[in-house]
Amino acid sequence: MAEDQIRDAQPEEEQDQREILRIRREKLQKMRDSGSDPYHITSFPVKEKAQEIVDNFETEYEGKEVTVAGRIMSWRDMGKAAFMDLRDASGRIQLYVKIDMLGEEAYRALTASLDIGDIVGVVGEAFRTRRGEISVKANSVMILSKALLPLPEKYHGLKNTDSRYRQRYLDLIVNPEVKDVFVKRSKIITAIREYLDNIEFLEVETPVLHTQAGGAAARPFVTHHNTLDLDMYLRIALELHLKRLIVGGFDRVYEIGRVFRNEGMDTRHNPEFTELELYQAYTNLEGMMNLTEEMIRTVAHKVLGTGLVERNGVEIDLDKPFARITMLEAVKQYAGVDFSQVETLEEARKLADEHHIEYEQRHKKGEILNLFFETYCEDKLVQPTFLIGHPVDISPLAKKNRENPEYTERFELFICGSEYANAFSELNDPIDQRERFEAQAAQKAAGDDEACDVDEDFLTALEYGLPPTGGMGMGVDRLIMLLTGAQSIRDVLLFPTMKPID
């Protein structure tokens, strides 16, 4: 079959696409042949931003020469004049391009070469059109980069979420409101740093590659170091290295960094995410609750100007004191089961069977209590709530409660049924810590991929003396979701993890 016949068999839209690609490349070649290759241009002296001109037109820019650059998003040709929309990082502004302003030769060359999506540099006069729109009357227009592919709105926009995540650069071009989320993301992280810096915390950096995975219950990513010929792990948490620094004499440290967990993916989980961890000597769980609550409230007001945010149609009030409830109280309230009366593992298993809660033979009594909480209680904690009193069985790095040593001085912060932070009065007893590490190692040997090994160097550090310390970890991406209204963690990650199309 002839090539033309094969092409004719393709859908009309695909034929249009191929024709567009051919025409754009022809335009580029003509520009090169004329000595005006846009890719040879190395800089352009941008002096103003689009939104800056619009916001300050009457007071500063009316009738003045401006120099702007950006992407052409639309083009209305009127023969000897054209209106174009230029978008830069700040916003958009209209261009008025007229043949007698540019000169006929330059105007014809521009209109013969230009396409929607091209990046241009413009020098002209800021003015207001008869219809009242602030615009730039162009004296010169230079194509700085040629778009060889058409923008998605030519084909009904970039609406498919999978495509938006895979091609975030296109998402940002054609859905400019997406950029606002990432501007807020940056401001939120900056506000966290400002808050902690102002109360004398020191920001530090710790290794991403670990010889042992620890600091959280999670399955790690494994890699191999060729020179040392040993397997290493991408960190699942920041905790153990930061606590070594408290041993070393720093009183207040924090780190904001990527951690990696080889786990499932959903609207709240991505294999790599941003975590904040902080540690403060000479304080405890109560100090961590006060700090966490105040930090979230401060960041919300700094970035949003309010402590009220909406999540899933519910107004969340970050200004009210955060509620506090123990895990035992929550399970009793929402599941109708009083675990304070449960003395043996067999009793816990029987209750789980009666309530159709699945558990594994390796699970201990405290782990079954946690399964009850996850099943019956988690989604009930809508307004900000500190869940406290976690069992020792699920808290290998937290101090035991002196009055009830089956439980620990630990909290998790829940908002709208999701966990946002996790904190302890840190375990600083090296003998107790070794016992818990060994219990974790036994669980790992029994098939628990999320259990940790015995970290001998960390135990050595504890034996030199860790002062009473409070520590807190927070999923930064989830806080950003809360403060921006995003429904998926992928909406607040510029480049979320995606399965290859191949």
Side-chain angles (χ1 to χ4, degrees):
M1 184 180 292
E3 184 177 355
D4 287 344
Q5 291 175 300
I6 294 174
R7 287 179 179 172
D8 289 343
Q10 301 299 318
E12 181 180 350
E13 199 168 273
E14 290 186 20
Q15 291 182 45
D16 291 345
Q17 177 85 343
R18 286 198 306 271
E19 182 68 8
I20 288 171
L21 299 183
R22 182 188 65 79
I23 291 172
R24 289 190 177 218
R25 279 161 175 75
E26 285 183 357
K27 288 182 178 181
L28 174 62
Q29 190 57 53
K30 289 178 181 177
M31 293 179 71
R32 285 174 164 168
D33 292 343
S34 68
S36 57
D37 188 336
Y39 301 130
H40 286 174
I41 299 170
T42 59
S43 65
F44 184 80
V46 178
K47 296 178 181 177
E48 289 83 21
K49 293 291 187 181
Q51 198 62 44
E52 177 188 352
I53 297 169
V54 172
D55 291 343
N56 302 285
F57 177 74
E58 285 84 1
T59 59
E60 188 172 349
Y61 291 110
E62 185 171 10
K64 301 291 181 61
E65 182 179 273
V66 295
T67 305
V68 295
R71 190 181 299 273
I72 298 299
M73 300 301 296
S74 69
W75 177 6
R76 299 175 295 285
D77 192 350
M78 302 168 64
K80 293 186 177 182
F83 287 98
M84 304 174 189
D85 281 338
L86 178 142
R87 183 179 296 152
D88 64 13
S90 70
R92 63 164 293 279
I93 194 166
Q94 181 173 263
L95 305 179
Y96 179 50
V97 184
K98 196 175 180 184
I99 193 169
D100 58 3
M101 294 291 294
L102 261 62
E104 183 170 353
E105 183 178 350
Y107 184 85
R108 299 300 181 196
L110 174 67
T111 54
S113 305
L114 189 68
D115 286 300
I116 290 174
D118 288 355
I119 296 171
V120 300
V122 181
V123 178
E125 176 191 328
F127 80 111
R128 192 188 295 274
T129 66
R130 285 196 296 267
R131 294 186 176 183
E133 182 163 359
I134 296 168
S135 307
V136 175
K137 187 186 299 180
N139 295 319
S140 70
V141 181
M142 178 185 295
I143 298 177
L144 305 176
S145 185
K146 190 89 183 104
L148 299 181
L149 290 171
L151 295 180
E153 59 229 88
K154 179 75 175 175
Y155 297 100
H156 317 301
L158 189 69
K159 303 298 183 185
N160 180 275
T161 53
D162 187 77
S163 297
R164 289 177 55 205
Y165 299 143
R166 289 183 189 280
Q167 296 178 288
R168 182 67 83 186
Y169 46 91
L170 281 185
D171 188 28
L172 292 167
I173 291 171
V174 303
N175 298 314
E177 69 279 1
V178 170
K179 187 180 292 183
D180 296 339
V181 171
F182 295 103
V183 170
K184 280 184 181 175
R185 179 188 177 97
S186 180
K187 290 180 178 179
I188 289 166
I189 293 173
T190 297
I192 291 172
R193 284 193 166 100
E194 287 179 353
Y195 175 83
L196 293 173
D197 292 346
N198 287 338
I199 55 174
E200 300 182 347
F201 275 80
L202 178 71
E203 183 173 11
V204 298
E205 293 180 301
T206 61
V208 173
L209 288 174
H210 291 182
T211 54
Q212 285 183 287
R219 185 179 294 110
F221 286 94
V222 184
T223 186
H224 188 78
H225 192 292
N226 292 332
T227 301
L228 297 177
D229 191 26
L230 82 156
D231 286 342
M232 301 188 79
Y233 305 91
L234 295 181
R235 64 187 180 188
I236 59 174
L238 313 174
E239 179 165 348
L240 299 184
H241 281 90
L242 291 176
K243 286 200 282 193
R244 286 173 169 91
L245 297 179
I246 300 293
V247 171
F250 290 106
D251 281 351
R252 301 184 182 201
V253 295
Y254 77 94
E255 182 171 5
I256 299 173
R258 288 280 181 159
V259 295
F260 308 85
R261 298 184 182 179
N262 197 352
E263 300 172 341
M265 297 166 58
D266 57 31
T267 57
R268 294 185 298 163
H269 296 90
N270 192 70
E272 59 174 308
F273 59 96
T274 301
E275 185 175 35
L276 160 70
E277 287 204 29
L278 58 87
Y279 294 86
Q280 179 179 342
Y282 311 111
T283 190
N284 58 10
L285 186 70
E286 187 73 23
M288 287 297 101
M289 281 193 276
N290 294 336
L291 183 153
T292 302
E293 181 173 343
E294 181 62 26
M295 182 180 71
I296 291 174
R297 187 175 294 132
T298 300
V299 169
H301 278 274
K302 178 82 173 179
V303 177
L304 305 179
T306 178
L308 298 176
V309 296
E310 186 176 305
R311 187 81 183 150
N312 301 326
V314 178
E315 186 176 77
I316 304 300
D317 190 346
L318 301 174
D319 286 328
K320 287 185 178 178
F322 291 7
R324 301 181 183 190
I325 189 171
T326 68
M327 186 177 287
L328 286 173
E329 290 168 343
V331 170
K332 185 176 181 180
Q333 178 177 340
Y334 296 112
V337 176
D338 187 357
F339 255 81
S340 67
Q341 303 302 311
V342 177
E343 297 183 357
T344 66
L345 175 58
E346 288 69 27
E347 290 175 325
R349 286 175 174 173
K350 182 179 178 183
L351 283 169
D353 292 336
E354 291 172 357
H355 288 79
H356 308 290
I357 290 177
E358 295 184 6
Y359 59 89
E360 298 178 25
Q361 287 302 307
R362 61 181 173 81
H363 282 152
K364 299 178 181 179
K365 186 177 76 170
E367 292 172 299
I368 293 175
L369 169 60
N370 188 53
L371 291 174
F372 267 89
F373 170 76
E374 291 175 348
T375 303
Y376 285 97
C377 313
E378 199 167 285
D379 61 346
K380 307 296 193 306
L381 306 183
V382 177
Q383 293 299 323
T385 302
F386 289 119
L387 178 77
I388 58 179
H390 294 64
V392 169
D393 296 334
I394 61 168
S395 310
L397 297 165
K399 271 193 176 183
K400 292 178 181 177
N401 185 301
R402 283 178 294 178
E403 297 176 0
N404 192 344
E406 284 189 52
Y407 299 90
T408 60
E409 293 191 14
R410 174 185 174 187
F411 79 68
E412 290 177 290
L413 173 63
F414 283 88
I415 305 173
C416 283
S418 292
E419 178 203 339
Y420 281 77
N422 187 23
F424 315 140
S425 291
E426 299 296 334
L427 177 59
N428 62 344
D429 179 343
I431 298 170
D432 187 357
Q433 183 65 82
R434 178 176 290 279
E435 290 173 354
R436 295 203 219 174
F437 273 161
E438 288 174 350
Q440 285 279 302
Q443 286 182 269
K444 187 171 184 177
D448 186 351
D449 292 337
E450 296 186 350
C452 63
D453 292 311
V454 178
D455 189 327
E456 291 291 348
D457 182 73
F458 180 68
L459 290 171
T460 298
L462 288 188
E463 290 180 352
Y464 281 103
L466 173 69
T469 298
M472 187 273 285
M474 175 181 291
V476 174
D477 306 301
R478 290 191 185 177
L479 179 63
I480 293 167
M481 289 172 63
L482 176 70
L483 298 183
T484 61
Q487 294 301 307
S488 170
I489 191 171
R490 293 182 175 187
D491 292 328
V492 300
L493 298 176
L494 280 167
F495 300 102
T497 302
M498 304 290 290
K499 183 179 180 180
I501 294 176
D502 294 338

